Amino acid sequence: FQMATSLPVTAQHYLECGTEDCEKNCQFYCNPCHRQLCEQCRDKHQKSPDTKNHEVVPFLQHKRLLPVDKCKLHPTRNADILCNECNIPLCSKCTTMEEHFGHKFVDMEDIDAEKFAFCLEEISKIQEYFLPTSKEMKTETDEDGREVKKIMDGIRNSIKAEAKSLKDLVDKVTSDKLEQANTIEKSLLTVLKQQEKTYDDYNKYLEKLLKEFHGYLPLSNFKVLLSANFENSKIQSIPETTKPVPPVFTAGQFTYDDVSKLLGKIDVPNIKPDKRKIKPMATSSTQLKPTGKEMKQDREKSDMKQTLSLSSSVTKVREYTIPDVDSVYHISLGKSGRLWGSDKCGNLVQTDLQGNLLLKIQTSGRDDGYHTVTQDGDLFFTDIKNKVIKRITQDKTITEFIKTGDWEPISIHSSHINGDILVGMIKGREAKVTRYNKTGEEKQNIQRDNKGQGLYKYPHYITENINGDICISDINKRAVVVVNKSEQHRFSYTGQGSLFLPYGICTDLLGHIIVCFSNLINNKVLILNQDGQFLSLLLTPQQGIYPRGLCVDDENNFHVGQRNTNTVTVYKYLQ
């Protein structure tokens, strides 16, 4: 059977009532008749004697109309019953046949509904738990890989440093030994130089003596020879000297192991590695264990979800003003009736519902959803100029929380599911959404679809739905772009024919997506279901509005800020 993932394919279809000549929005479904019904037609349907016992449910809980499959034995009848014993489709006439006597039969629609619900539940498990948990574990392995590389880089640096230290010592010892060799050589050469001088002096003495004896030999010196006294002319003996004793070099005795022992070694601990912890499905949320009060609130919300539905009309509840701004492009609701509003000139104001000014600061914000209130009551806002996300605590202290590097943070939202901070950012022609945890650690970057195409152009408003979907109002892409928590693109809503310029966006307790848009002739607020199907217009141009900022309060009313006034109007749209 066709699975629920096909819903986004028809996400922009206008759901109309199936009653003839009725063009109102479809909100209900009759399972036996397989008819789409508006609220009024539902009432008539349930009052009619023929259909008063029919099962009429909210549209999202309807059974699907199965394709017609003719019975093989009775071709004029539809095979709409399943024999549990034989596991084959039958018609009503087949159930009376002898071979099926005593067998149990089930309506094919019930089986389809059961299997359809099973598939939705399995899809939900995969999207809500298995896929995110697996991706978290993959992220953990990536972080472990970076940590291992960091450790090994440290070990390599230690080895190099130790080797350099040893090399420096070797160089020092080598230098000292060379100096010793030079000193020995100098000493030996000095002795040999002295011996050389001794022999130079002796040679001069011999040459002088030789010259003297030659002088006696000519006949003209005969008288001199007779008178010469040779008794004192004995030749002096040759001086004795010693041969130098050169040093002997004894080579050092060392091996590779000897050198290796001088340096440190790498040890791999003989420890059994710990298994990675897999978060159990029941506690897959990153929230702290809820308190009794929070559990009561959750039960109340769950009970409310069972009873609430989309009203056929929108009712104005009240108005309030935000002082010191000339328009209201974004609203962030806080605790105790306190709220924040901003205009396109960077004025960010905190006020109460009576219009009393509590705090005003000047920011670099523009006509974007650049501030958000956390569950703790703090306010985060983006400083686009300095590329920083700042925090204002309840005691009005302003601190820097996250630096976004080269990216300009233009929109921000604090998750009501787990307290994560979602930030829409741009850099040149690139755009992305980054998820941070409560401490400012980056957890996720969403930038491209599975085909490598950019998901966003200018994500100037951002919110999160109850199922974890990240919903972006992208004015440059002229679309509401929705991505699930596993970074998979679910759908993009681009309006219904006219130029779609989305601004403020928010979601409610039932998973509705509320978005306001504006162009030259149309200024509207519309509502989609969480699968992107258009449900109805909440506000129309006939009401004379120029909507920009949107939010939903704890009483399930939506607040609308406008571009031409500092008055915020509150409307009731659920019943």
Side-chain angles (χ1 to χ4, degrees):
F1 52 84
Q2 192 177 16
M3 295 175 64
T5 50
S6 64
L7 281 172
V9 176
T10 58
Q12 299 190 52
H13 177 65
Y14 184 95
L15 289 177
E16 296 180 351
C17 179
T19 305
E20 187 176 358
D21 297 329
C22 181
E23 297 181 355
K24 293 183 179 179
N25 296 338
C26 163
Q27 299 179 44
F28 301 96
Y29 193 87
C30 177
N31 279 332
C33 299
H34 292 292
R35 283 178 57 190
Q36 298 174 184
L37 301 170
C38 67
E39 186 177 8
Q40 292 180 354
C41 292
R42 176 202 62 174
D43 295 341
K44 293 179 182 177
H45 197 71
Q46 291 181 323
K47 290 177 182 178
S48 171
D50 296 332
T51 58
K52 65 180 182 179
N53 295 323
H54 284 192
E55 181 188 20
V56 178
V57 298
F59 180 79
L60 292 179
Q61 300 174 21
H62 75 282
K63 291 182 180 178
R64 299 180 302 166
L65 178 61
L66 299 181
V68 175
D69 191 8
K70 296 296 182 181
C71 178
K72 293 182 179 179
L73 298 178
H74 308 97
T76 60
R77 296 175 178 265
N78 294 337
D80 54 3
I81 299 173
L82 181 74
C83 175
N84 265 355
E85 309 295 329
C86 305
N87 197 31
I88 57 174
L90 307 171
C91 68
S92 57
K93 192 172 183 179
C94 289
T95 61
T96 62
M97 297 174 65
E98 183 178 351
E99 55 264 38
H100 296 292
F101 181 74
H103 291 183
K104 292 183 179 180
F105 306 103
V106 184
D107 192 317
M108 292 284 283
E109 285 187 358
D110 292 338
I111 293 177
D112 175 77
E114 180 182 341
K115 292 186 176 181
F116 184 73
F118 173 78
C119 285
L120 288 180
E121 184 179 353
E122 295 304 296
I123 289 170
S124 176
K125 286 179 183 178
I126 292 171
Q127 290 181 337
E128 302 288 329
Y129 170 70
F130 287 100
L131 194 56
T133 302
S134 177
K135 287 195 172 186
E136 285 180 12
M137 295 187 72
K138 179 183 178 297
T139 301
E140 186 179 327
T141 63
D142 292 341
E143 291 173 353
D144 288 345
R146 288 192 291 271
E147 183 64 22
V148 166
K149 188 178 186 308
K150 182 179 177 181
I151 291 171
M152 295 310 298
D153 285 344
I155 290 175
R156 281 188 284 268
N157 290 335
S158 296
I159 292 172
K160 292 176 182 177
E162 203 173 45
K164 184 178 183 305
S165 177
L166 180 59
K167 182 177 180 299
D168 290 343
L169 288 174
V170 170
D171 289 344
K172 180 67 170 65
V173 171
T174 301
S175 177
D176 291 346
K177 289 185 180 296
L178 289 174
E179 184 62 29
Q180 181 186 7
N182 293 339
T183 301
I184 295 172
E185 181 187 35
K186 185 177 180 181
S187 176
L188 292 173
L189 290 177
T190 299
V191 171
L192 290 173
K193 196 70 174 176
Q194 291 173 347
Q195 291 180 358
E196 183 180 350
K197 185 176 184 305
T198 298
Y199 286 115
D200 281 343
D201 292 343
Y202 183 70
N203 289 337
K204 289 179 181 179
Y205 157 73
L206 291 177
E207 288 175 356
K208 180 180 179 183
L209 191 61
L210 184 63
K211 183 177 180 181
E212 181 178 343
F213 280 115
H214 274 293
Y216 290 124
L217 294 181
L219 291 176
S220 59
N221 293 333
F222 181 70
K223 291 181 179 181
V224 175
L225 180 63
L226 291 176
S227 61
N229 182 7
F230 293 109
E231 293 179 3
N232 296 325
S233 299
K234 184 178 180 182
I235 300 173
Q236 296 177 9
S237 60
I238 298 173
E240 291 185 355
T241 56
T242 57
K243 291 180 66 66
V245 180
V248 177
F249 177 72
T250 304
Q253 301 297 316
F254 57 86
T255 64
Y256 175 90
D257 289 339
D258 295 329
V259 177
S260 181
K261 288 176 183 178
L262 294 175
L263 300 173
K265 61 179 181 177
I266 305 174
D267 290 319
V268 178
N270 187 21
I271 301 174
K272 186 177 179 180
D274 295 332
K275 289 185 177 180
R276 298 188 187 279
K277 293 182 179 179
I278 301 176
K279 294 186 298 185
M281 189 182 300
T283 57
S284 60
S285 172
T286 56
Q287 288 178 290
L288 297 175
K289 187 176 180 180
T291 62
K293 181 179 179 181
E294 289 170 337
M295 291 174 68
K296 181 180 178 183
Q297 291 173 344
D298 288 343
R299 285 195 299 271
E300 290 173 350
K301 286 183 178 180
S302 179
D303 294 341
M304 192 179 296
K305 288 171 68 174
Q306 299 299 322
T307 59
L308 285 175
S309 63
L310 193 61
S311 176
S312 58
S313 61
V314 174
T315 307
K316 181 177 176 181
V317 177
R318 65 179 182 275
E319 287 184 343
Y320 58 88
T321 59
I322 299 180
D324 288 13
V325 295
D326 57 11
S327 55
V328 183
Y329 274 79
H330 189 50
I331 311 165
S332 294
L333 287 178
K335 294 183 176 181
S336 305
R338 297 187 175 189
L339 58 95
W340 294 83
S342 60
D343 57 20
K344 63 179 179 180
C345 301
N347 297 307
L348 179 58
V349 172
Q350 185 187 39
T351 182
D352 57 25
L353 293 180
Q354 287 71 46
N356 298 312
L357 179 64
L358 303 176
L359 180 64
K360 178 182 177 181
I361 61 173
Q362 186 65 40
T363 72
S364 59
R366 304 183 290 244
D367 54 343
D368 309 305
Y370 72 90
H371 50 86
T372 184
V373 175
T374 69
Q375 292 169 306
D376 299 328
D378 294 343
L379 181 102
F380 285 102
F381 71 95
T382 64
D383 183 343
I384 300 171
K385 180 179 178 182
N386 296 307
K387 299 174 184 174
V388 172
I389 296 168
K390 295 183 178 180
R391 183 208 301 256
I392 303 178
T393 55
Q394 295 183 66
D395 61 3
K396 301 181 180 180
T397 302
I398 302 177
T399 56
E400 285 191 2
F401 181 64
I402 301 168
K403 293 184 178 180
T404 57
D406 296 335
W407 292 82
E408 291 184 16
I410 58 175
S411 59
I412 189 167
H413 175 76
S414 174
S415 170
H416 291 177
I417 298 175
N418 53 21
D420 286 351
I421 304 297
L422 301 169
V423 184
M425 297 191 269
I426 59 171
K427 182 177 69 172
R429 294 187 176 181
E430 296 182 276
K432 68 174 181 177
V433 171
T434 300
R435 180 188 293 272
Y436 300 91
N437 64 16
K438 290 181 179 180
T439 61
E441 180 183 356
E442 187 176 300
K443 293 175 61 177
Q444 189 180 36
N445 271 300
I446 305 171
Q447 190 171 2
R448 303 185 185 281
D449 60 20
N450 56 8
K451 296 180 180 178
Q453 300 298 313
L455 286 165
Y456 316 110
K457 288 185 177 179
Y458 193 84
H460 70 149
Y461 285 87
I462 183 170
T463 191
E464 184 181 47
N465 215 337
I466 57 172
N467 62 352
D469 283 353
I470 300 170
C471 307
I472 295 292
S473 172
D474 192 321
I475 193 167
N476 285 4
K477 202 154 190 176
R478 288 157 171 61
V480 171
V481 182
V482 177
V483 175
N484 66 22
K485 67 173 72 173
S486 302
E487 305 181 29
Q488 302 300 311
H489 178 231
R490 293 198 63 220
F491 63 86
S492 292
Y493 180 85
T494 56
Q496 296 177 310
S498 60
L499 179 63
F500 186 64
L501 298 174
Y503 281 86
I505 189 170
C506 62
T507 60
D508 65 12
L509 185 66
L510 302 180
H512 294 134
I513 302 169
I514 306 173
V515 61
C516 59
F517 71 94
S518 174
N519 56 36
L520 294 176
I521 57 175
N522 283 329
N523 293 280
K524 305 175 183 178
V525 176
L526 58 84
I527 186 166
L528 313 172
N529 69 13
Q530 67 181 16
D531 294 312
Q533 290 176 307
F534 175 83
L535 299 180
S536 68
L537 287 174
L538 296 180
L539 299 176
T540 64
Q542 286 71 30
Q543 290 164 284
I545 60 166
Y546 300 92
R548 288 295 185 269
L550 280 181
C551 69
V552 172
D553 61 24
D554 292 336
E555 298 175 354
N556 303 301
N557 300 319
F558 72 94
H559 299 230
V560 181
Q562 302 184 60
R563 68 172 172 84
N564 59 343
T565 176
N566 64 346
T567 298
V568 177
T569 309
V570 185
Y571 297 92
K572 180 179 180 64
Y573 69 106
L574 297 179
Q575 62 180 10

